[in-house]
Amino acid sequence: MNEAIDRVVEQFRTLLTEQIARTEKIERGAQAKNFAAMDKIVIGVAGGDGIGPIIMRETRRVMDALLADEIASGRVEIRDIDGLTIENRLALHQSVPADTLAAIKSCDVLLKGPTTTPKGGTMESANVTLRRELDLYANVRPVAVPEEGIDWIFYRENTEGEYVLGSRGVEIPGKLAMDFKVTTVPGTKRIARAAFEYAKNNGKKSVAIVTKANIMKKTDGSFSALCHEVAADYPGIEAEDWYIDIMTANLVNPAIRSRFQVFLLPNLYGDIITDEAAQIQGGVGTAGSANIGDEYAMFEAIHGSAPRMIEEGLGEYANPSSLMRALEMLLRHIALTDRAEKLSRALNICCESEKKVVVTGDRSGATCAAFADYVLDTLKKL
C-alpha cells in the first residue's frame, strides 16, 4: 500500500508542478487581436463528427452568403480543417491530432461542429483539449426569451475547475479514485474581469457569482473571493453570491428569473446550467457558444454530436440553429457587426416570429437543408 501511495503522491507532484507553470503563463498574459484593424482574417471550419458535418454544411452556406464580398476581396479566408472525426482521433489515440491542432492555430478563429467524446478510457474531450491548448478561458453563452423578460449571458470559466485535469485523476485499485479541481488566482480574475467588462459596456447592473463555496471552501471559496476583488473595480455593478443548487431552481422560477442579467461561474457549474438555460430558450439546438481567449477564439453549438440521430438515420433532420447562432457570435467577435445583426434578424424571424420551416429532429419536421434554405431566403429580403 505504501508503494501505491508513493506513486500517487509523485503523480500529484507532477500535476501540481504543471499547474503552477500554467498559472505563471497566464500571469504573463497575451496580446488580444484587433480584428477591425486586420487586413486579413482566417476562419477555420471543422465539421467534427456525428451530426456535426451536416449542420456545418448548411451553416457554411449561410456564412459564404454573408461574407461573399469579404471572401471575394481576400479580406476573409475560410479554411476547411479535417481531423476531428472520432474515427481519426481514436486511430491516433489523440483527443486533437497534432497536425489538426497546428492547422487550427494557423487560423484566427474557429467555427466548430460537435465532437464525440468516448465514454471511459483516458481520451479527454476534444473541446477540453482545444480550450486548454488555445487558452480559451471564457465560455460565453447568451440566452434570451424576450416575452418572459429573460436576457441572460453566462460567463463560464473554461480552462480550469474539474475539467483541466479531468482525465488525469489518481487511483489506488480496489480502494479509491480521486479527481482534481483547480482554481488559480489569475485564471479566475481574468474570467471575472471579462464578465464585469461585458456588464459595464452593455448597461448591466448586476453579476451573479455562482459557486458552491459553502462546501468547496478552497476552490469555490477562492473563486468567489477573487470575483469580489475584481467587482470592486466596477462600483456601479452589484456582485451577488448564489449557490449553484438554488440557482438551478431560480432559472425555472418565473417569479425571480427575469431579474438576472450576467452570470459568472466556474467550469463545471457553467457547463450544466447553460444547458438548462438553453432548454428554457427552446432547447440546446437553439443556443450558440463562444470560447474566447486573447489570441484565439472558437465558436460552436452547445449540444453534442447526437450519435443516436445518426444511428437512426435522422442526421439530415438535425437542427442547425445553434451553430448558426455561434456563427452570429463569431461575426461579432471579428468586428463584422453588421453581418452579425443581419443574421440575428433572420434567425429571429425563422425561429421565433414566422417559423414557416420547423426542424423537429425527426421526420415529422423539416430537414437541416430546408431550414438553411429558409434562412438564406430570409437574408435576401433583409
Side-chain angles (χ1 to χ4, degrees):
M1 181 61 67
N2 286 339
E3 289 183 5
I5 292 174
D6 289 343
R7 175 180 54 79
V8 168
V9 168
E10 189 56 37
Q11 184 179 346
F12 180 70
R13 179 186 296 275
T14 299
L15 297 177
L16 186 61
T17 301
E18 290 176 0
Q19 290 307 301
I20 290 173
R22 186 179 67 84
T23 301
E24 292 171 346
K25 182 178 180 181
I26 295 172
E27 290 171 337
R28 291 193 293 272
Q31 183 65 43
K33 292 178 179 177
N34 180 1
F35 285 96
M38 291 172 61
D39 295 327
K40 183 176 181 179
I41 300 168
V42 180
I43 302 173
V45 173
D49 50 46
I51 63 171
I54 296 170
I55 62 175
M56 182 62 77
R57 179 191 68 209
E58 302 307 326
T59 302
R60 175 69 182 271
R61 291 170 58 204
V62 172
M63 179 166 61
D64 287 347
L66 284 166
L67 298 179
D69 292 343
E70 287 77 10
I71 294 170
S73 69
R75 171 93 199 289
V76 170
E77 177 188 347
I78 300 177
R79 293 181 186 171
D80 290 308
I81 296 175
D82 300 318
L84 283 183
T85 63
I86 185 62
E87 294 81 9
N88 187 51
R89 290 182 287 127
L90 284 174
L92 297 173
H93 303 289
Q94 295 177 312
S95 56
V96 178
D99 57 344
T100 303
L101 181 60
I104 290 170
K105 286 186 173 181
S106 72
C107 303
D108 297 302
V109 294
L110 177 69
L111 184 65
K112 175 189 164 293
T115 47
T116 303
T117 302
K119 295 181 180 178
T122 59
M123 182 182 290
E124 72 177 356
S125 157
N127 275 4
V128 172
T129 300
L130 288 170
R131 289 165 183 165
R132 182 181 64 248
E133 293 293 331
L134 304 179
D135 198 22
L136 307 176
Y137 60 85
N139 183 222
V140 184
R141 297 182 176 183
V143 168
V145 187
E147 62 271 22
E148 297 187 23
I150 293 173
D151 184 12
W152 299 330
I153 191 156
F154 296 82
Y155 274 76
R156 165 195 173 195
E157 201 293 315
N158 216 20
T159 59
E160 299 190 348
E162 294 83 354
Y163 289 29
V164 65
L165 297 174
S167 62
R168 301 179 66 189
V170 298
E171 182 178 12
I172 297 179
K175 295 293 183 181
L176 59 84
M178 296 177 66
D179 285 316
F180 300 106
K181 178 171 182 171
V182 180
T183 298
T184 70
V185 172
T188 301
K189 283 189 171 182
R190 65 181 180 177
I191 186 64
R193 195 159 300 281
F196 279 95
E197 278 292 309
Y198 174 87
K200 182 186 75 172
N201 294 334
N202 291 274
K204 306 300 182 181
K205 300 302 181 184
S206 68
V207 174
I209 302 165
V210 185
T211 67
K212 193 64 176 171
N214 57 332
I215 302 298
M216 307 298 292
K217 296 183 184 295
K218 294 296 185 184
T219 50
D220 284 14
S222 176
F223 188 94
S224 175
L226 291 166
C227 289
H228 280 282
E229 283 185 27
V230 172
D233 295 333
Y234 300 84
I237 301 170
E238 181 183 12
E240 294 184 294
D241 277 302
W242 292 88
Y243 294 139
I244 181 62
D245 44 357
I246 191 61
M247 183 57 81
T248 59
N250 286 339
L251 294 195
V252 294
N253 182 354
I256 190 174
R257 64 187 182 185
S258 61
R259 63 165 288 194
F260 297 110
Q261 298 178 331
V262 181
F263 298 80
L264 174 55
L265 315 93
N267 206 335
L268 177 61
Y269 309 146
D271 189 6
I272 294 168
I273 207 169
T274 51
D275 278 9
E276 181 193 17
Q279 192 64 35
I280 293 168
Q281 179 177 256
V284 293
T286 67
S289 176
N291 301 269
I292 298 171
D294 293 325
E295 188 174 0
Y296 301 102
M298 177 175 73
F299 301 83
E300 60 183 344
I302 74 167
H303 57 71
S305 58
R308 185 176 300 174
M309 289 188 70
I310 298 298
E311 292 170 5
E312 296 175 358
L314 296 173
E316 291 295 335
Y317 293 87
N319 191 339
S321 299
S322 182
L323 193 58
M324 291 183 185
R325 290 290 186 189
L327 172 60
E328 177 194 335
M329 299 177 79
L330 183 154
L331 294 171
R332 292 188 194 281
H333 183 74
I334 63 174
L336 294 176
T337 308
D338 57 336
R339 307 298 195 284
E341 288 293 341
K342 188 174 182 179
L343 178 56
S344 177
R345 292 196 301 273
L347 289 174
N348 289 341
I349 291 168
C350 295
C351 299
E352 296 173 17
S353 57
E354 281 189 357
K355 296 200 291 188
K356 291 181 178 178
V357 177
V358 178
V359 179
T360 62
D362 57 37
R363 291 182 177 85
S364 69
T367 64
C368 184
F371 181 81
D373 288 341
Y374 180 32
V375 174
L376 287 167
D377 289 342
T378 303
L379 285 170
K380 291 174 184 176
K381 299 173 185 176
L382 295 176

